[in-house]
Amino acid sequence: ADCQPDATFFIAVDVEIAQRRMRARGSTKADRMEQQPLEFYQRVERAYRELAAAEPERIIVIDGAADPEKVEQEIWTQIVARFGKLLPRGH
């Protein structure tokens, strides 16, 4: 009911880039979500951008067009900034 995550990561990436990356994975068969038309992805992106604008303290927008390693590093940077006190010492 009133349960919400403390943080939500929205990895914003252009639909064409996302589709190119999915194709580059190779022989895996596209799942139900990956088979959706371009308009579906555009509606989903628009909805997430609206949520991010409405809840900027909770929804963290990450530039998904960057190299996957940079995306991962940015996510970890945000996690440590928000929840670093919860990590065991030395991490």
Side-chain angles (χ1 to χ4, degrees), residues 19-90:
Q19 289 177 332
R20 186 172 56 240
R21 288 176 178 172
M22 287 187 284
R23 285 191 300 271
R25 287 192 315 219
S27 65
T28 59
K29 185 177 177 184
D31 65 22
R32 183 178 61 84
M33 294 296 292
E34 293 169 345
Q35 294 176 16
Q36 296 298 317
L38 177 63
E39 295 78 24
F40 168 80
Y41 289 106
Q42 291 169 334
R43 284 193 316 271
V44 169
E45 178 186 16
R46 195 168 35 255
Y48 271 103
R49 289 196 182 278
E50 288 172 8
L51 283 172
E55 299 183 56
E57 67 287 341
R58 182 176 70 85
I59 300 177
I60 303 155
V61 181
I62 303 290
D63 178 12
D67 292 324
E69 293 80 18
K70 282 188 168 187
V71 172
E72 178 186 14
Q73 183 58 49
E74 179 61 22
I75 291 169
W76 279 112
T77 298
Q78 293 291 332
I79 289 171
V80 170
R82 288 172 177 256
F83 307 110
K85 293 178 183 177
L86 302 175
L87 295 172
R89 291 202 165 172

